[in-house]
mmCIF file with all atom_site columns, all heavy atoms in Angstrom:
data_model
loop_
_atom_site.group_PDB
_atom_site.id
_atom_site.type_symbol
_atom_site.label_atom_id
_atom_site.label_alt_id
_atom_site.label_comp_id
_atom_site.label_asym_id
_atom_site.label_entity_id
_atom_site.label_seq_id
_atom_site.pdbx_PDB_ins_code
_atom_site.Cartn_x
_atom_site.Cartn_y
_atom_site.Cartn_z
_atom_site.occupancy
_atom_site.B_iso_or_equiv
_atom_site.pdbx_formal_charge
_atom_site.auth_seq_id
_atom_site.auth_comp_id
_atom_site.auth_asym_id
_atom_site.auth_atom_id
_atom_site.pdbx_PDB_model_num
ATOM 1  N N   . ALA A 1 8   ? -9.575  38.146 -40.202 1.00 80.00 ? 139 ALA A N   1
ATOM 2  C CA  . ALA A 1 8   ? -8.563  37.901 -41.238 1.00 80.00 ? 139 ALA A CA  1
ATOM 3  C C   . ALA A 1 8   ? -7.232  37.560 -40.573 1.00 80.00 ? 139 ALA A C   1
ATOM 4  O O   . ALA A 1 8   ? -6.887  38.106 -39.536 1.00 80.00 ? 139 ALA A O   1
ATOM 5  C CB  . ALA A 1 8   ? -8.406  39.135 -42.106 1.00 80.00 ? 139 ALA A CB  1
ATOM 6  N N   . LYS A 1 11  ? -0.833  38.976 -42.286 1.00 92.00 ? 142 LYS A N   1
ATOM 7  C CA  . LYS A 1 11  ? 0.106   38.580 -43.348 1.00 92.00 ? 142 LYS A CA  1
ATOM 8  C C   . LYS A 1 11  ? 1.345   37.925 -42.767 1.00 92.00 ? 142 LYS A C   1
ATOM 9  O O   . LYS A 1 11  ? 1.872   36.963 -43.307 1.00 92.00 ? 142 LYS A O   1
ATOM 10 C CB  . LYS A 1 11  ? 0.505   39.823 -44.160 1.00 92.00 ? 142 LYS A CB  1
ATOM 11 C CG  . LYS A 1 11  ? -0.509  40.179 -45.242 1.00 92.00 ? 142 LYS A CG  1
ATOM 12 C CD  . LYS A 1 11  ? 0.127   41.076 -46.286 1.00 92.00 ? 142 LYS A CD  1
ATOM 13 C CE  . LYS A 1 11  ? -0.643  41.217 -47.563 1.00 92.00 ? 142 LYS A CE  1
ATOM 14 N NZ  . LYS A 1 11  ? -2.056  40.943 -47.520 1.00 92.00 ? 142 LYS A NZ  1
ATOM 15 N N   . ASP A 1 110 ? 8.729   13.907 -23.090 1.00 96.00 ? 241 ASP A N   1
ATOM 16 C CA  . ASP A 1 110 ? 9.530   14.674 -22.119 1.00 96.00 ? 241 ASP A CA  1
ATOM 17 C C   . ASP A 1 110 ? 8.569   15.467 -21.229 1.00 96.00 ? 241 ASP A C   1
ATOM 18 O O   . ASP A 1 110 ? 8.424   16.677 -21.347 1.00 96.00 ? 241 ASP A O   1
ATOM 19 C CB  . ASP A 1 110 ? 10.501  15.605 -22.865 1.00 96.00 ? 241 ASP A CB  1
ATOM 20 C CG  . ASP A 1 110 ? 11.387  16.411 -21.918 1.00 96.00 ? 241 ASP A CG  1
ATOM 21 O OD1 . ASP A 1 110 ? 11.442  16.082 -20.703 1.00 96.00 ? 241 ASP A OD1 1
ATOM 22 O OD2 . ASP A 1 110 ? 12.016  17.374 -22.381 1.00 96.00 ? 241 ASP A OD2 1
ATOM 23 N N   . LYS A 1 200 ? -13.425 16.538 -39.538 1.00 52.00 ? 331 LYS A N   1
ATOM 24 C CA  . LYS A 1 200 ? -14.090 17.573 -38.741 1.00 52.00 ? 331 LYS A CA  1
ATOM 25 C C   . LYS A 1 200 ? -13.560 18.960 -39.057 1.00 52.00 ? 331 LYS A C   1
ATOM 26 O O   . LYS A 1 200 ? -14.113 19.952 -38.615 1.00 52.00 ? 331 LYS A O   1
ATOM 27 C CB  . LYS A 1 200 ? -13.866 17.301 -37.249 1.00 52.00 ? 331 LYS A CB  1
ATOM 28 C CG  . LYS A 1 200 ? -14.529 16.045 -36.773 1.00 52.00 ? 331 LYS A CG  1
ATOM 29 C CD  . LYS A 1 200 ? -15.034 16.233 -35.369 1.00 52.00 ? 331 LYS A CD  1
ATOM 30 C CE  . LYS A 1 200 ? -15.849 15.029 -34.964 1.00 52.00 ? 331 LYS A CE  1
ATOM 31 N NZ  . LYS A 1 200 ? -16.640 15.255 -33.782 1.00 52.00 ? 331 LYS A NZ  1
#
Side-chain angles (χ1 to χ4, degrees):
K142 277 199 165 22
D241 181 13
K331 294 216 173 194

